[in-house]
Amino acid sequence: MTQCTPRRPRFTAFFCAATLLMLSASAVGADDLPGLDRPAAPRPGLPTLNTLLGFEPGARHPRNDELVRYYRALAEVSDRMTIETIGRSSGGREQVLAVFGTPDRLARLDDLRRGRIEASRDGEGPVVVWLGYSVHGNEASGASAAPIVAWWLAASDDPEVAAWLEHVVVVMEPVINPDGVDRFAHWANMHRGRNPSADPNDREHNEGWPNGRTSYYWFDLNRDWLPLTHPVSRNRIRHYRQWRPHVLTDVHEMGSRSTYFFQPGIPERNNPATPERVYALTARIAEYHAERLDAAGEPYYSRESFDDYYLGKGSTYPDLTGGVGILFEQGSSRGHVMDTPYGRRTFAEAIANQVRTSLSTLEASVALRDELRAHQADFFAEALDNDRRGGWLLGDGGDPARAERLLAMLVGHGIDVRTVSGAISIDGREFPAGSAWAIPARQDLGRFVEAIFDTPTELPMETFYDVSAWPLQYAFDLPLEPVRRLPATGAALTEATLAGPAPDSPAVDAVAWAIDWRQHRAPAVLAALLADGYRVQAAEAPMTLQTSSGTLDFDRGSVVVHGGIQPDHLAPVAERLAALGERHAVAIHAVRSGLARDGLDLGSPSLPVIEPPRAALLTGDGLNPYSAGALWRWFDVHLDQPVTMLDVTDLPGELDDYTHLLLPGGRYDGFGDAFEARLVEFVRGGGQLIAVRNAAAWVESLDLGWSFIDEEAGDADPDTTPARYADFELDAARRLIGGSALAVTLDPTHPLGWGYGRARSDDADDRRDDRRDNRRLVLFRQGAHVLKTTDNRYARPARYTESPLVAGYLAAPVAEELAATTAIGADRFGGGLVVRIADDVVFRGYWAGAERLLANALFHGQQVRRTNRP
């Protein structure tokens, strides 16, 4: 293990980078490496970087497996470095963590790590610096700078390294995004000739869709520090919690027409929950970056472009958990060499700046070690202050599986969550026994907990680099109540695995089996049964059935598997149901009679057999990979089924093989008339379109015979008042919805609203009561699109409330424009259906409370009847 302590790190750091990054022996000499300010030889008996890596820095882009092999070889020969595998990515690639320190300190590494929590509270022990590289795979200079820094810490004979390691432990995550790094390395290397082109228009500099920025499922891992959707994020946070670093670096690249950025960012756009000390320390550390970059003659800037608001980013998360996070952005070469407004930039030069600021971070951390330790001790002392009383009470909302997903996130962050045994009632809201958890405000991460449950609607800024809201209680659609005094609690949760339901034993003598559709994982059970070939019915009205557990109510959307209608060639359905119920923690009830106590009998025409969906997802250039990837992941992970991905520019000759086409967000205007005609033909022939985000607004342009209210009305007169040129960006930002939580009113009697609540009656006399039972649901919104409203009053299963903003920023004119408009539409044309969903119901893989809307569109859209006005 070794730590970074370079005062003159330019030569040494780049020496490591040279070894790690390059194939060609023609790159940089071993005694004159970019990024280091003086030559540095290896300690006696240790190899050079180039010897270990096998090529010089900047000559090509290394794959993750090559980098891992290099780090293992380096750790094998150095007593200042250890390495461990902390997990694997969604793509199966190895994820490693390296630790650098003095040999004596590494010899008692486990004790050091175990003692970090107390040391962080007491302001004791060595300063811990966490160096993280290339969370975006095509921002590759970070992943190629890390080997240089690692070699310099582990193998350099520079006396300053040894001096720094007396005060610092360095934890390095050398490749945050193994899947994306490999995707980009393959692209850049396969397009590099003997004489690389510096023309920005060259194919090497313009990746195909999806590019290497994202991880598996095309997610942005730098937005995953909060939701922990991906295994690489969960693996990292598990170790981050143990180490509690004082400083964390988050190394990125930006556009090639830029120079170099380091924080502080835009001061007006900081997260208000972050202690001011964080920004003061960031500014102090920035002086060290400036000194090294000035000495190298490199241009740079700070306090512009980037903010520190969303706490789910790598540079903001530490600010609210006891550390100081720092963002770095290097103008990219997007390959091996590129012409920029600042001259010709090589990959090696981009690497050099990342090495310089890694070393300046270490230099600053040593120099400011007392201030950093004091800040961390103060942070946790404030969190544990006796004046912090009460906390929050979280309920399961009648759906333990959905609650389990949120609890897993909270426990994953190390948040203190405690069981509550007795039943509790707060302001008319009931928390039954065994279905609630207490979250104390007085805990180490109390400030972080406040921020993740906060629902601000009046913010001091109007522009955001990322989203403006992330209220987890609404994302998971679970009840959360702040309390001044917590009830009696049990032990803190160490894992989020809850006891699953106790379903009826699916005895072979049952007439049928029924599944309540309100269960979070019921769609996965239904999908598996249909994929196997079993016949499954879906209730279009409530029913009360006699089961082996007694008389139970089942609402619209509930699934019935009747034993008498199953294909003879399949295995007995009872056995399959038992396995699926256990796998997905879904209660499956054995029904004793086809005659209902109330509502639908099991042979009712209002219990139609569901046609198995054959869905295809449009992908490709012009479409939003985040939106497409989230849909793909929902099928693959939560529905546990494949989905066919079709390239939007190369659709198959016949679309009859598919029942559903899913349209993610994107730019559809450029695909031409023939593409639009194919979609119209698909719908009129009986297919179903499910369009989300801005695709929901685009499908309104299809020639399907839409009938919109006031569609002939012209736009309001444009504002012709002269405006200041300097206000353009802010005025444009006010029209956007960068990421806010908005409330909709959902009709639970509509097939797209099934599973969200039970209306009281179908009788005409009780219609007013039905309407009062409409369900309020909070969805996540990005984009300025507003859906048009059709003149069919029955085809609007969800609309925004009159005051839709629940959390985040929404300009008053935009809120007024959205109020009471269509959030979800479901319109019949010919034999098909078009479902428009304005919002992102699978946002970043964690907006679990909205996922059932997608399942309803997929499985129950076929039950949306034609509802022409009488």
Side-chain angles (χ1 to χ4, degrees), residues 18 21-28 50 54-60 192 194:
L21 296 171
M22 310 196 169
L23 254 176
S24 161
S26 64
V28 187
N50 292 345
F55 51 91
E56 297 176 351
R60 71 175 180 88
R192 179 195 183 279
R194 293 183 179 182

Side-chain angles (χ1 to χ4, degrees), residues 733-782:
R734 291 190 180 107
R735 294 293 307 165
L736 297 176
I737 306 176
S740 303
L742 306 184
V744 304
T745 298
L746 180 67
D747 176 8
T749 72
H750 193 285
L752 268 65
W754 286 350
Y756 280 101
R758 183 167 186 173
R760 294 184 184 133
S761 174
D762 287 331
D763 295 337
D765 292 341
D766 291 336
R767 282 178 181 168
R768 291 183 180 179
D769 286 343
D770 268 353
R771 290 169 187 168
R772 281 199 295 269
D773 278 338
N774 280 350
R775 175 74 145 74
R776 182 178 183 268
L777 185 67
V778 176
L779 303 179
F780 193 84
R781 182 64 188 276
Q782 288 181 308

Side-chain angles (χ1 to χ4, degrees), residues 513-546:
W513 295 266
I515 301 171
D516 191 328
W517 189 244
R518 291 173 297 180
Q519 298 177 92
H520 184 57
R521 295 182 182 135
V525 175
L526 173 58
L529 291 170
L530 295 176
D532 290 345
Y534 293 103
R535 297 188 179 105
V536 185
Q537 301 162 268
E540 295 181 343
M543 55 190 178
T544 302
L545 303 177
Q546 183 64 40

Side-chain angles (χ1 to χ4, degrees), residues 137 581 605 863:
Q863 293 173 269

Side-chain angles (χ1 to χ4, degrees), residues 113-296:
R113 196 159 34 196
R114 277 193 295 267
R116 272 299 300 146
I117 291 180
E118 288 304 318
S120 67
R121 293 170 179 163
D122 297 337
E124 302 292 341
V127 169
V128 178
V129 179
W130 184 294
L131 303 177
Y133 298 92
S134 295
V135 68
H136 296 143
N138 61 1
E139 299 174 8
S141 59
S144 287
I148 300 172
V149 178
W151 183 91
W152 192 81
L153 292 174
S156 168
D157 71 346
D158 194 303
E160 198 165 41
V161 176
W164 284 5
L165 293 182
E166 292 296 326
H167 303 290
V168 180
V169 169
V170 180
V171 182
M172 178 185 286
E173 189 176 8
V175 180
I176 299 177
N177 181 0
D179 296 332
V181 162
D182 276 10
R183 193 182 310 137
F184 180 68
H186 177 69
W187 178 273
N189 291 335
M190 78 175 183
H191 291 103
R192 179 195 183 279
R194 293 183 179 182
N195 300 284
S197 173
D199 185 344
N201 297 312
D202 186 78
R203 181 172 170 81
E204 178 187 359
H205 308 307
N206 297 278
E207 293 173 81
W209 191 100
N211 60 37
R213 173 184 176 89
T214 56
S215 68
Y216 216 77
Y217 300 115
W218 312 328
F219 272 59
D220 186 338
L221 287 181
N222 198 39
R223 307 299 186 266
D224 199 40
W225 285 73
L226 172 62
L228 304 182
T229 298
H230 287 264
V232 290
S233 301
R234 296 192 293 272
N235 298 337
R236 177 195 318 113
I237 292 299
R238 186 173 66 252
H239 289 265
Y240 177 94
R241 288 169 46 197
Q242 295 174 342
W243 278 110
R244 287 197 171 183
H246 298 82
V247 177
L248 178 143
T249 66
D250 187 21
V251 175
H252 291 251
E253 289 182 357
M254 52 185 167
S256 61
R257 299 180 66 84
S258 303
T259 58
Y260 194 88
F261 168 87
F262 52 80
Q263 285 181 321
I266 302 171
E268 298 81 13
R269 282 159 48 184
N270 290 329
N271 192 304
T274 299
E276 285 299 321
R277 294 186 306 269
V278 169
Y279 303 120
L281 284 166
T282 303
R284 293 279 304 280
I285 295 171
E287 297 173 6
Y288 291 79
H289 310 322
E291 182 180 358
R292 284 185 180 270
L293 292 171
D294 282 341

